[in-house]
């Protein structure tokens, strides 16, 4: 950002996290320049109410701009709710409740009027009052590091965090006049669009690398490594042809399956343990001692039944989305007092019929994911029964060939994973630059007045 110039004169803002601001700017509380409405419109549908579209938490969390292209939930609302929480162009919406304080105060800008679109629960609408603040500038100001810092300090809770109306109204922003706000918003629109395009391209690259990884695994665990061997019909639609000397087995016939019921309790009369929980499995392909496991307690019976061992495979068995059912991870080492937690199932080799590493790759392949998806039952929450899991079918070579496949896949997936990590690091760098640029512009550390569109898109 060294190529941008500073303002000619600065003054102390009087706010620690804002620092110095341009001499002609002011510092304002959000309540003094905007109206704030915390929504209580839930996802209900009542026959005596009007149909509406709901802009919900995920719409804001995953989108910086709210447009007609988003797939909004259908619900109903009372006349009073429609009047109070109807969204308008240039409204800024923020997340006001979450399980993590880091997810509080995430902002999105409504860039067009969407018919019958209401702000949903867990969100707040912040709207310009008396033409004191431009919606685009407000969005960027609330997305800057000083605002995120204020939201983080204000978020109250233990297992769930939230912002009160008082928390939101006391957020402090650095504020130039409307015309200058519009210049800053226009500059940031151009610059962030360029950065977002670069980020999107790298995210596409990650998607292609994941597809390549999945294709590699699927080929190896359904066709083997030697493409010259005779093939046979597996008799299972989603497996297709498999090597003639392989078998197709139900999981229950080659492995033991235990569905955990160990929760996050801490009781004085029980032994202390570590818990491998849903997030540990969901975000890690390997379970190692380096992970930060939750501490809890368990009974002797639970410890005996759900103690994890090297080469165990763990899968997710419950989730809010059927796509997140059957996510697999491999325990790569013995870890003292580590138990399998709730919402998970342990699948363990029985009678040396299947190698844990091969089982992990087989259960991570699209044919297994397809079976998990078909088996997942639910409406707002989905789950697998013991019967669902035991009937999963996989193609199975002998142990020696399983080991060859593991060695091959370990090597090849490590190469792909290294490429994915490099691209992710590049995305983080771009996102950090994006945030730094927004912060510099809305706190007056750089003067973007008078810059041409060509200046906007350079660098």
């Amino acid at each position: 950002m060294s190529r941008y110039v500073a303002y000619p004169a600065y003054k102390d803002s009087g706010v620690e996290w804002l620092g110095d601001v341009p001499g002609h700017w002011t510092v304002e509380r959000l309540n003094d320049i905007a109206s704030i409405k915390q929504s209580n419109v839930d996802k209900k549908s009542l026959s005596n109410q009007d149909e509406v579209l709901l802009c919900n938490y995920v719409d804001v969390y995953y989108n910086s701009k709210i447009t007609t292209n988003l797939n909004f939930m259908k619900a109903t609302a009372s006349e009073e709710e429609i009047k109070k929480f109807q969204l308008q162009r240039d409204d800024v919406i923020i997340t006001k409740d979450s399980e993590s304080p880091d997810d509080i105060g995430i902002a999105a800008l409504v860039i067009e009027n969407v018919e019958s679109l209401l702000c949903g629960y867990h969100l707040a609408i912040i709207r310009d009052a008396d033409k004191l603040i431009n919606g685009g500038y407000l969005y960027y100001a609330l997305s800057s590091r000083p605002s995120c810092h204020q939201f983080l300090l204000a978020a109250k809770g233990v297992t769930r965090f939230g912002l009160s109306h008082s928390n939101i109204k006391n957020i402090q922003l650095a504020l130039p006049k409307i015309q200058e706000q519009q210049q800053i918003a226009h500059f940031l629109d151009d610059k962030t669009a360029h950065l977002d395009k670069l980020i999107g391209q790298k995210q596409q690259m990650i998607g292609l690398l994941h597809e390549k990884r999945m294709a590699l695994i699927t080929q190896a665990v359904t066709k083997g490594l030697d493409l010259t061997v005779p093939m046979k019909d597996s008799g299972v639609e989603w497996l297709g042809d498999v090597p003639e000397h392989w078998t197709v087995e139900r999981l229950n016939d080659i492995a033991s399956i235990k569905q955990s019921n160990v929760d996050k309790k801490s009781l004085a009369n029980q032994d202390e343990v570590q818990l491998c929980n849903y997030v540990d499995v969901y975000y890690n392909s390997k379970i190692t001692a380096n992970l930060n496991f939750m501490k809890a307690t368990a009974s002797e019976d639970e410890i005996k039944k759900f103690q994890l061992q090297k080469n165990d495979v763990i899968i997710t068995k419950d989730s809010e989305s059927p796509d997140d059912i059957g996510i697999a991870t491999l325990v790569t080492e013995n870890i003292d007092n580590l138990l399998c937690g709730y919402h998970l199932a342990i699948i363990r080799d029985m009678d040396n019929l299947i190698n844990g590493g091969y089982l992990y790759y087989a259960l991570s392949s699209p044919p297994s994911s397809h079976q998990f998806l078909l088996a997942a039952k639910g409406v707002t929450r989905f789950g697998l029964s013991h019967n669902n899991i035991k009937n999963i079918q996989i193609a199975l070579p002998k142990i020696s060939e399983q080991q060859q496949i593991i060695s091959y896949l370990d090597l090849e997936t490590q190469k792909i994973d290294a490429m994915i990590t490099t691209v992710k690091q590049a995305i983080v760098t771009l996102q950090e630059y994006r945030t730094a640029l927004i912060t510099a512009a809305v706190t007056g550390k750089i003067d973007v007045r008078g810059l041409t569109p060509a200046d906007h898109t350079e660098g």
Side-chain angles (χ1 to χ4, degrees):
M1 261 173 286
S2 59
R3 69 185 185 83
Y4 298 112
V5 299
Y7 281 84
Y10 286 87
K11 65 183 179 184
D12 182 0
S13 69
V15 179
E16 180 184 354
W17 44 82
L18 282 177
D20 290 344
V21 297
H24 61 288
W25 289 28
T26 60
V27 175
E28 305 289 348
R29 286 192 324 149
L30 203 51
N31 194 56
D32 296 329
I33 54 174
S35 67
I36 301 160
K37 295 177 183 176
Q38 291 180 288
S39 176
N40 59 1
V41 183
D42 62 20
K43 304 170 185 178
K44 65 185 183 301
S45 288
L46 302 177
S47 59
N48 62 338
Q49 293 185 338
D50 294 328
E51 282 195 0
V52 295
L53 297 172
L54 275 192
C55 178
N56 284 316
Y57 183 98
V58 291
D59 300 314
V60 173
Y61 190 88
Y62 290 109
N63 300 282
S64 59
K65 305 290 190 288
I66 302 300
T67 73
T68 53
N69 295 329
L70 299 180
N71 186 27
F72 300 109
M73 173 179 283
K74 290 180 178 166
T76 64
S78 67
E79 286 185 20
E80 183 184 358
E81 288 172 331
I82 293 171
K83 183 178 179 181
K84 191 173 182 181
F85 299 114
Q86 172 85 38
L87 289 168
Q88 301 175 14
R89 182 179 176 180
D90 289 333
D91 282 348
V92 175
I93 315 168
I94 63 166
T95 57
K96 68 179 183 70
D97 304 295
S98 180
E99 293 178 1
S100 168
D102 296 327
D103 295 335
I104 295 288
I106 304 295
L109 175 65
V110 181
I111 63 170
E112 56 188 316
N113 289 318
V114 183
E115 189 176 354
S116 301
L117 180 62
L118 270 60
C119 179
Y121 205 58
H122 303 305
L123 302 171
I125 310 169
I126 304 174
R127 182 175 294 162
D128 167 44
D130 302 322
K131 296 186 178 179
L132 294 173
I133 190 163
N134 173 275
Y137 181 85
L138 176 59
Y139 159 70
Y140 287 118
L142 292 178
S143 301
S144 68
R145 284 174 181 156
S147 292
C148 293
H149 177 72
Q150 294 176 76
F151 284 130
L152 189 63
L153 290 177
K156 305 299 182 188
V158 179
T159 59
R160 188 162 189 89
F161 298 81
L163 294 171
S164 67
H165 187 274
S166 181
N167 296 145
I168 301 170
K169 78 178 186 180
N170 286 312
I171 297 296
Q172 292 178 294
L173 307 177
L175 201 68
K177 297 295 183 184
I178 278 284
Q179 184 180 358
E180 193 173 342
Q181 292 176 34
Q182 290 168 340
Q183 290 173 320
I184 292 169
H186 181 57
F187 165 78
L188 289 173
D189 283 344
D190 285 350
K191 194 64 181 176
T192 57
H194 176 63
L195 291 169
D196 290 344
K197 182 178 178 182
L198 292 176
I199 291 168
Q201 289 169 344
K202 293 189 181 300
Q203 288 171 333
Q204 280 185 319
M205 189 183 300
I206 289 175
L208 292 172
L209 286 168
H210 278 301
E211 287 177 12
K212 181 179 179 181
R213 191 182 194 275
M214 282 296 99
L216 195 72
I217 291 171
T218 302
Q219 175 71 27
V221 299
T222 61
K223 303 295 184 280
L225 303 180
D226 183 357
L227 301 184
T228 66
V229 299
M231 306 292 282
K232 67 180 180 184
D233 182 0
S234 67
V236 179
E237 180 184 354
W238 44 84
L239 282 177
D241 291 344
V242 298
E244 196 173 62
H245 62 289
W246 289 24
T247 60
V248 175
E249 305 290 347
R250 286 192 323 149
L251 212 47
N252 194 57
D253 296 328
I254 54 173
S256 66
I257 301 160
K258 294 177 183 175
Q259 291 180 288
S260 177
N261 58 2
V262 183
D263 60 19
K264 303 170 186 179
K265 65 185 182 300
S266 288
L267 302 178
N269 63 339
Q270 292 187 337
D271 294 326
E272 281 195 1
V273 296
Q274 300 185 88
L275 274 193
C276 178
N277 283 316
Y278 184 97
V279 291
D280 301 314
V281 173
Y282 190 88
Y283 290 109
N284 300 282
S285 59
K286 304 288 189 289
I287 299 298
T288 69
N290 295 328
L291 298 180
N292 186 27
F293 301 109
M294 174 179 282
K295 289 189 168 55
T297 64
S299 67
E300 287 186 19
D301 183 58
E302 288 172 332
I303 294 171
K304 182 178 179 181
K305 193 172 183 182
F306 299 114
Q307 173 84 38
L308 289 168
Q309 301 175 13
K310 182 179 179 180
N311 288 327
D312 281 348
V313 173
I314 315 169
I315 63 166
T316 57
K317 69 179 184 69
D318 304 295
S319 181
E320 291 179 0
S321 168
D323 295 328
D324 295 335
I325 295 287
I327 305 294
T329 190
L330 175 67
V331 181
T332 60
E333 57 187 307
N334 289 317
I335 303 169
D336 288 343
N337 296 319
L338 182 62
L339 270 61
C340 179
Y342 206 57
H343 303 305
L344 303 171
I346 310 169
I347 306 175
R348 182 175 294 163
D349 167 46
M350 186 170 64
D351 301 325
N352 201 32
L353 293 173
I354 189 164
N355 181 289
Y358 181 84
L359 176 60
Y360 160 70
Y361 283 122
L363 292 180
S364 300
S365 68
S368 293
S369 299
H370 178 72
Q371 295 176 73
F372 285 128
L373 189 62
L374 291 177
K377 305 297 183 188
V379 179
T380 58
R381 188 162 189 88
F382 298 83
L384 295 171
S385 67
H386 185 275
N387 195 55
N388 295 145
I389 301 171
K390 78 177 186 181
N391 285 313
I392 297 296
Q393 292 177 294
I394 61 173
L396 197 69
K398 298 294 185 186
I399 282 285
S400 58
E401 192 173 350
Q402 291 178 35
Q403 189 57 61
Q404 291 172 351
I405 291 171
I406 295 164
S407 299
Y408 168 76
L409 287 177
D410 282 350
L411 180 63
E412 296 302 318
T413 58
Q414 281 171 13
K415 293 177 186 176
I416 295 173
D417 290 344
M419 288 188 278
I420 290 172
T421 297
T422 299
V423 179
K424 283 182 175 179
Q425 287 170 343
I427 290 174
V428 168
T429 300
L430 286 168
Q431 289 171 330
E432 287 176 348
Y433 177 73
R434 186 185 192 277
T435 302
L437 186 65
I438 290 170
T439 300
V442 300
T443 58
K445 302 302 183 287
I446 59 175
D447 185 353
V448 303
R449 295 173 299 177
L451 290 181
T452 65
D455 295 320
H456 293 182
T457 54
E458 286 177 8

